[in-house]
Amino acid sequence: MATHRLPPSTVVQMLRDNGITKVKLFDAEASTMSALAGTNIQVMVAIPNDQLASMGSADRARQWVRHNVTRYIFDGGVNISYVAVGNEPFLTSYNGSFINTTFPALRNIQNALNDAGFGDQIKATVPLNADVYGSPVDNPVPSAGRFRSDILYQMTQIVQFLNQNRAPFTVNIYPFLSLYANEHFPFDYTFFDGASNPVIDNGIQYTNVFDANFDTLVSSLRALGYGDMPIIVGEVGWPTDGDRNANINNALRFYRGLLPRLASNRGTPLRPGYIEVYLFGFIDEDAKSIQPGNFERHWGIFRYDGQPKFPMDLSGQQLDRYLIGAQNVSYLPRRWCMLRPDARDLSRLGQNINFACTFSDCTPLGYGSSCSGLDTNGNASYAFNMYFQAQNQNDMSCNFQGLAVVTDQNISQGSCNFTIQIAASDSSELQVVSNLLFFSFVLLIFIQFHYS
């Protein structure tokens, strides 16, 4: 979700400019699909979790496929290759909300694709979080991997059905989250340049958590009798703000390790060779839920305005060059909102900061984040400005009970950037975005390497 989004046509041009050939969406929004038409970019469309129950009806599933898939399949249309049924529906934090609705939805969507004559061309899959499997505490090695006991029946159903339809298992693997969830997790183990204490498993050395996690899944599939099932890594990445470990230096280190490994087709110890991997994500989302953590709004390899954050070589050849950013981006005027220098009564400052941060993105102010070094006045100005920008610089949005004033002087401080938002492309888009009615154009980039 984003308060201001780039036009889908601009984002699609960014994909083409950077040679990206596959994308994974979180829905099948019409303007996004129209922008992808005729590009030959392979697309994974998605059904949100809140629609899984309705997909338990075969008729509703057929309607969804007609409206979101088959109507785009024509000469010059959208090259759809997968339908993602839900997104991490078995997360433990969901408390079983989607356990009984995911498999019926998967079955009905794939059957609808088969009945429409596209079953060989388009596969349904369920992007699952890596928390659906694990190793026992007393034997924490990849070869001991098994699916969670509380969802073993459902996972067996899903795996058998995927195998029956020659569809891949899709998993999201986040080394960053291993670090975030456990302050004692070995820091170097989340990267790819070696760990001082590798995990030894039957003579195999695991020097990074990505390989260990992936092979734990391989072992879990083997335990069900499907050790050769194709696996897609549906999401992997590293955020750049919102946590003490979420920064550009760590993101650079992560990607400089991951991308050359993918380019070499090295694979993992239990699954050597090519692995299909999608990077998460494409563009930052300043209105995304931060329930998992403040970093959730900062996964993009591009900033909110489509400009690259850091050098990144998608070919894996370690050439430090910036990706091609969005072209001809229109910004709001160079105006900022700040705490009045002559403000005297600050008794209501705290409540006004809280108001501003409730309706805009203040995650960079958190501990260890890019703006955590600001003083109280700086925090107030940052919060006021983010709200001002989110409200399209409406003069009434820079008041805060007389505590704020508009300035044309850039009030950014050091590494803390005080944002100027992008301009909405038209009034109708502005209305839609301001009400947050649908997902922003967030993509997961598929990394594909070609060799002679």
Side-chain angles (χ1 to χ4, degrees), residues 190-194 208 210-211 249-264 266 312-313 316 318:
T190 59
F191 301 98
F192 299 92
D193 42 15
N208 67 83
F210 179 89
D211 284 359
N249 287 337
N250 285 344
L252 273 171
R253 181 181 177 186
F254 182 78
Y255 287 121
R256 283 173 175 168
L258 174 67
L259 297 177
R261 288 173 65 88
L262 296 178
S264 68
R266 177 177 171 180
M312 186 179 198
D313 181 14
Q318 296 183 302

Side-chain angles (χ1 to χ4, degrees), residues 176 180 238-251 284 293-300 309-310 361-372 382 415-417:
F176 170 82
Y180 179 77
W238 198 281
T240 57
D241 210 345
D243 181 72
R244 61 190 178 93
N245 291 312
N247 54 62
I248 285 177
N249 287 337
N250 285 344
D284 280 352
N294 287 345
F295 54 83
E296 282 292 338
R297 294 177 176 175
H298 306 281
W299 288 103
K309 294 180 179 179
F310 46 79
D361 180 27
C362 294
T363 55
L365 295 176
Y367 172 72
S369 301
S370 62
C371 298
S372 61
Y382 188 90
S415 64
C416 180
N417 178 51

Side-chain angles (χ1 to χ4, degrees), residues 371-415:
C371 298
S372 61
L374 298 179
D375 60 16
T376 301
N377 289 356
N379 286 338
S381 290
Y382 188 90
F384 292 170
N385 183 63
M386 290 304 292
Y387 180 80
F388 180 61
Q389 303 297 332
Q391 298 297 316
N392 301 296
Q393 298 188 2
N394 185 311
D395 287 335
M396 294 298 294
S397 65
C398 185
N399 183 280
F400 296 100
Q401 296 181 295
L403 293 173
V405 64
V406 175
T407 178
D408 59 4
Q409 299 299 310
N410 190 340
I411 53 176
S412 299
Q413 300 182 36
S415 64

Side-chain angles (χ1 to χ4, degrees), residues 4 61 122 133 139 201 209 214 251 254 276 286 307 320 322 328 339-340 357 371 402 405 432 449:
H4 294 66
I122 305 172
Y133 53 85
N139 190 26
D201 183 11
V209 70
F214 189 97
F254 182 78
E276 185 171 335
D286 68 344
Q307 303 311 306
D320 273 349
Y322 284 86
N328 302 315
L339 177 67
R340 296 185 70 95
C357 291
C371 298
V405 64
V432 172
F449 302 96

Side-chain angles (χ1 to χ4, degrees), residues 19-186:
I20 296 166
T21 60
K22 294 188 180 183
V23 297
K24 180 174 180 286
L25 307 176
F26 287 103
D27 55 15
E29 197 273 319
S31 66
T32 299
M33 298 296 284
S34 296
L36 287 162
T39 65
N40 204 38
I41 293 173
Q42 292 189 39
V43 179
M44 181 186 296
V45 296
I47 300 171
N49 289 340
D50 61 5
Q51 295 182 28
L52 292 178
S54 65
M55 294 303 111
S57 160
D59 286 341
R60 290 292 299 274
R62 283 191 289 269
Q63 291 172 16
W64 191 95
V65 167
R66 284 196 299 269
H67 184 75
N68 297 287
V69 178
T70 57
R71 73 166 173 153
Y72 295 109
I73 308 299
F74 55 88
D75 187 21
V78 182
N79 184 8
I80 301 173
S81 53
Y82 299 108
V83 176
V85 181
N87 184 52
E88 301 182 339
F90 293 165
L91 272 176
T92 54
S93 59
Y94 289 155
N95 297 316
S97 299
F98 307 108
I99 282 181
N100 296 319
T101 56
T102 299
F103 176 68
L106 171 69
R107 179 187 59 209
N108 288 340
I109 289 296
Q110 185 64 65
N111 288 342
L113 291 168
N114 296 344
D115 292 345
F118 296 104
D120 291 334
Q121 173 185 343
I122 305 172
K123 303 296 183 182
T125 184
V126 181
L128 293 159
N129 188 274
D131 75 346
V132 300
Y133 53 85
S135 301
V137 175
D138 60 354
N139 190 26
V141 294
S143 63
R146 298 293 186 271
F147 288 111
R148 275 181 12 221
S149 59
D150 63 306
I151 55 170
L152 181 58
Y153 175 74
Q154 289 82 6
M155 290 306 305
T156 302
Q157 281 185 310
I158 288 172
V159 169
Q160 290 176 342
F161 187 79
L162 293 175
N163 181 71
Q164 176 186 337
N165 286 276
R166 300 184 302 279
F169 190 103
T170 303
V171 62
N172 301 336
I173 298 177
Y174 282 109
F176 170 82
L177 293 182
S178 298
L179 190 63
Y180 179 77
N182 181 1
E183 63 178 338
H184 302 296
F185 194 87

